[in-house]
Amino acid sequence: AGLDTSAVALGKLYFGTATDNPELTDTAYVTQLNNTDDFGQITPGNSQKWDATEPSQNTFTFTNGDVIADLAEANGQKLRCHNLVWYNQLPSWVSSGTWTNATLLAAMKNHITNVVTHYKGQCYAWDVVNEGLADDGTYRDNIFYQYIGEAYIPIAFATAAAADPDVKLYYNDYNIEYAGAKSTAAQNIVKLIKSYGAKIDGVGLQGHFIVGSTPSQSSQASNMAAFAALGVEVAITELDIRMTLPSTDALLAQQKTDYAGTVAACAQTSACVGVTIWDWTDKYSWVPSTFSGQGAACPWDENLVKKPAYTGILTALGGT
Ligand code: G3I
């Protein structure tokens, strides 16, 4: 059995992958993306972000996001929708606009309401607020925080819930996969949202890790338990494990161990509903363009051939 089939047999909702519109012209790539034995879920890597969906104020374009939503529907794959409020990939009318508390709040609510309404019924979950924290656990000083304060977070969740009461609403971030100031701050965000009387269903643990310094299975599992104790589910939402190039047999073996430990942490935690890798092949990974000299972060290589990491994941999911 493949990755999704094994995950579901274990009681998870899905195993999935990110994808992106430009890759969909690659027929060999699409053949594996459509393989529902491995992928029961997909996430659009870029095409639902603010710059893609509302490039100028109150003008919405869903063409590229719809391509991926329609592909998921045609394949019977769940869709994780990504994302509504993030400091990055904002159109310049937001990031360089002239704002007051009231006007930015109105623009944020209008964005959320329109995008969530458009995709109503199509998403398993929305990443409502993405990366709202700095690594020291303070709020990230983004434009929403500057004009609205921490209240932008619960208001974003309440606005999303009003537009689609059925979709799961997630806070999503990195470096919250293990105990520490940032994970504690993310737990405080869950409490903050609830203190406003708003709904949060889940926390996304991105999982952009490094071969050989990936947090241990036990530290990831105990961190998941800390979120679950607050009454939310968790998911690993953007898993990839990069290395300094060139890739060697030893690095690939360590990468297999690191993938297996991370996926096993989700497997052993009932509140962890699924795992998403941040694209499945090194051919389309975001890593090399961001971290010079690093890459080979995905379970399939740039020739779409499975690496040892694939077997590590499968074994962690109880599959053979
Ligand atoms: O769309 C433009 C295109 O018009 C232009 O010609 C081209 C030239 O550079 O750039 C295109 O934009 C790129 C965009 O992806 C769409 O392809 C950006 O340069 C590039 O920076 C952007 O990268 C994305 C990155 O988020 C931006 O922060 C990655 O593909 C995407 O995988 C990555 O995903 C994020 C998650 O959303 C949040 N968590 C971290 C994760 C990895 O950074």
Side-chain angles (χ1 to χ4, degrees):
L3 304 180
D4 184 68
T5 304
S6 300
V8 170
L10 209 57
K12 303 297 153 188
L13 296 181
Y14 59 81
F15 187 94
T17 182
T19 187
D20 204 358
N21 296 76
E23 306 158 21
L24 302 179
T25 57
D26 179 339
T27 54
Y29 173 88
V30 173
T31 298
Q32 173 58 33
L33 182 66
N34 290 346
N35 177 354
T36 53
D37 192 24
D38 279 327
F39 304 132
Q41 177 272 322
I42 57 179
T43 305
N46 283 299
S47 50
Q48 290 179 323
K49 291 172 179 174
W50 199 318
D51 61 352
T53 53
E54 194 185 5
S56 57
Q57 189 163 14
N58 207 32
T59 300
F60 291 87
T61 59
F62 296 113
T63 315
N64 282 342
D66 286 354
V67 167
I68 292 174
D70 291 349
L71 182 70
E73 190 178 4
N75 286 338
Q77 293 162 319
K78 291 182 166 58
L79 187 70
R80 287 198 87 263
C81 290
H82 175 82
N83 57 53
L84 295 169
V85 181
W86 188 26
Y87 74 93
N88 201 355
Q89 289 174 288
L90 285 172
S92 58
W93 69 266
V94 178
S95 55
S96 308
T98 303
W99 299 109
T100 65
N101 174 290
T103 59
L104 187 58
L105 204 43
M108 184 186 81
K109 288 182 180 176
N110 188 55
H111 179 74
I112 293 169
T113 300
N114 276 277
V115 177
V116 173
T117 300
H118 178 81
Y119 287 107
K120 190 172 180 173
Q122 295 186 268
C123 311
Y124 167 71
W126 263 109
D127 290 329
V128 178
V129 173
N130 194 44
E131 300 172 11
L133 292 167
D135 277 340
D136 65 0
T138 60
Y139 286 111
R140 190 186 283 272
D141 189 23
N142 63 29
I143 193 155
F144 307 101
Y145 186 72
Q146 287 163 13
Y147 284 91
I148 305 168
E150 69 179 7
Y152 89 85
I153 298 174
I155 293 169
F157 276 78
T159 306
D164 183 353
D166 296 323
V167 70
K168 302 281 187 193
L169 302 180
Y170 271 63
Y171 175 75
N172 189 52
D173 212 331
Y174 60 87
N175 293 348
I176 62 166
E177 303 89 348
Y178 47 90
K182 195 170 183 181
S183 177
T184 301
Q187 291 161 40
N188 288 336
I189 283 177
V190 175
K191 295 175 190 167
L192 176 78
I193 292 164
K194 293 186 176 206
S195 79
Y196 271 69
K199 184 186 83 142
I200 174 167
D201 300 291
V203 174
L205 313 170
Q206 291 186 5
H208 295 293
F209 293 142
I210 299 171
V211 168
S213 51
T214 295
S216 70
Q217 177 181 342
S218 63
S219 72
Q220 292 192 61
S222 62
N223 182 67
M224 288 175 184
F227 284 103
L230 301 176
V232 290
E233 63 184 44
V234 298
I236 299 174
T237 53
E238 304 185 14
L239 181 61
D240 52 22
I241 310 185
R242 62 187 184 266
M243 61 181 69
T244 298
L245 298 172
S247 142
T248 63
D249 287 350
L251 285 166
L252 290 171
Q254 182 64 46
Q255 184 180 52
K256 175 185 180 180
T257 300
D258 291 347
Y259 264 103
T262 298
V263 173
C266 182
Q268 75 173 80
T269 303
S270 57
C272 186
V273 300
V275 176
T276 306
I277 49 179
W278 205 242
D279 227 320
W280 55 271
T281 164
D282 294 335
K283 186 173 185 180
Y284 298 117
S285 171
W286 68 290
V287 168
S289 60
T290 302
F291 298 99
S292 179
Q294 297 181 56
C298 299
W300 279 256
D301 71 15
E302 63 280 357
N303 297 314
L304 316 188
V305 174
K306 288 172 183 168
K307 292 152 66 174
Y310 179 92
T311 310
I313 297 169
L314 187 65
T315 305
L317 293 170
T320 46

